[in-house]
Amino acid sequence: MYGFFKSVLKKALNLSTPLTVGTKNEETRNNWIKNTLVKIPAGGRILDAGAGEQPYKVFCEHLSYVSQDFDQYNAGGDGVGLQRPSWDYGKLDIICDIASVPEADNSFDAIMCTEVFEHIRHPREAVKEFTRLLKPGGYLILTAPFASLTHFAPYHFYSGFNSFFYREELEEAGFDILEMEANGNFFEFLAQEINRISGVAASYSKDSLSLKEKLASKVLLKALQRFSGKDKGSSELLNMGFHVLARKK
């Protein structure tokens, strides 16, 4: 019976084209970071601030890589919101507060800080510290959510940051923004959260979607994919997050 309904659903929705809307958040961010790191001149010293499990170290082979984190998150956190079932910082070079790194002024040619700002109680202090640590002309690579669900609690202090935060804070801290790219758009974000419904319902309602509800979600996802393909700037309303490349004056 399920096979019959699946066949009817596929025909009704014409799903010969896969529904990928809302599924490219991490992939898009990873590709941007990889391509941006290539732009940093070889031989430079880079600080991975809030490095976590150091997923981007592999893209820094042309650089002198230094990892930093506060080394306090454990898998499962406090059990609230989204958590990781396992977590391994690996060997960190520096364990400290991100706003107080024990390195001299002008110590780095580049700093990378990815998906960290929402976990810092005072992100403005981190920006000031990056200014101190970077050499004049040094590069700053930043990404953070525009809006995010509670994750890694109790170390989650902000839902996200929009473009105005970066423009105001980075300019005041002495940076020129070379590139600022929105990851996704309004429609992609909504689709991402629709794709989460089954997991969230299982965790928080102990319930699941019926076949009709799954059909309804597929119909809506198909519409969102169409809207996203025709998008004319909805990222200004909502997106997954901004990717920023800046340079210290």
Side-chain angles (χ1 to χ4, degrees):
M1 182 64 72
Y2 176 74
F4 170 76
F5 280 113
K6 186 176 180 181
S7 175
V8 171
L9 172 61
K10 186 173 182 179
K11 289 180 180 179
L13 296 179
N14 188 22
L15 294 183
S16 55
T17 301
L19 286 174
T20 60
V21 64
T23 66
K24 302 293 187 179
N25 182 355
E26 186 173 2
E27 179 183 340
T28 301
R29 180 172 63 252
N30 289 346
N31 286 337
W32 182 86
I33 292 169
K34 177 181 178 180
N35 293 333
T36 301
L37 284 168
V38 171
K39 300 175 184 178
I40 308 302
R45 191 167 184 242
I46 186 169
L47 176 68
D48 189 351
E53 295 186 307
Q54 306 176 54
Y56 303 115
K57 181 177 181 179
V58 66
F59 303 135
C60 297
E61 293 181 352
H62 63 301
L63 301 166
S64 176
Y65 176 87
V66 179
S67 59
Q68 176 279 331
D69 210 297
F70 75 153
D71 194 28
Q72 293 182 27
Y73 176 74
N74 296 312
D78 64 359
V80 173
L82 303 178
Q83 300 283 355
R84 287 288 185 89
S86 63
W87 186 261
D88 183 6
Y89 285 102
K91 186 181 182 300
L92 293 167
D93 297 306
I94 303 172
I95 298 175
C96 68
D97 187 289
I98 198 170
S100 183
V101 178
E103 290 275 343
D105 295 356
N106 307 321
S107 293
F108 294 94
D109 300 284
I111 293 176
M112 169 172 56
C113 186
T114 60
E115 306 302 287
V116 174
F117 270 24
E118 72 270 30
H119 303 295
I120 304 172
R121 288 180 62 192
H122 305 293
R124 176 178 289 181
E125 293 180 2
V127 173
K128 290 180 179 178
E129 182 70 344
F130 296 163
T131 304
R132 181 186 74 80
L133 291 168
L134 275 173
K135 298 175 182 177
Y139 294 92
L140 178 60
I141 299 169
L142 290 175
T143 76
F146 183 100
S148 64
L149 305 184
T150 299
H151 61 287
F152 287 25
Y155 307 109
H156 185 261
F157 304 105
Y158 300 91
S159 66
F161 302 84
N162 64 24
S163 61
F164 305 106
F165 170 84
Y166 298 110
R167 291 192 182 100
E168 293 290 330
E169 296 298 329
L170 294 182
E171 181 178 349
E172 184 175 319
F175 288 94
D176 287 322
I177 294 178
L178 305 180
E179 182 179 338
M180 182 157 56
E181 173 185 293
N183 181 0
N185 55 44
F186 175 86
F187 309 110
E188 293 283 340
F189 187 95
L190 291 184
Q192 174 180 262
E193 301 314 312
I194 288 172
N195 286 323
R196 288 193 213 265
I197 288 176
S198 291
V200 174
S203 295
Y204 290 91
S205 298
K206 306 303 179 186
D207 200 351
S208 60
L209 293 170
S210 68
L211 184 59
K212 288 182 179 180
E213 290 163 343
K214 289 179 181 178
L215 173 59
S217 67
K218 292 292 185 183
V219 171
L220 184 53
L221 285 170
K222 186 179 181 184
L224 290 171
Q225 183 156 294
R226 185 175 80 252
F227 298 153
S228 183
K230 298 179 178 180
D231 183 67
K232 303 296 183 183
S234 71
S235 61
E236 68 182 15
L237 295 175
L238 185 61
N239 60 66
M240 311 291 195
F242 282 98
H243 305 157
V244 181
L245 174 63
R247 197 170 190 180
K248 181 179 173 181
K249 297 177 183 177

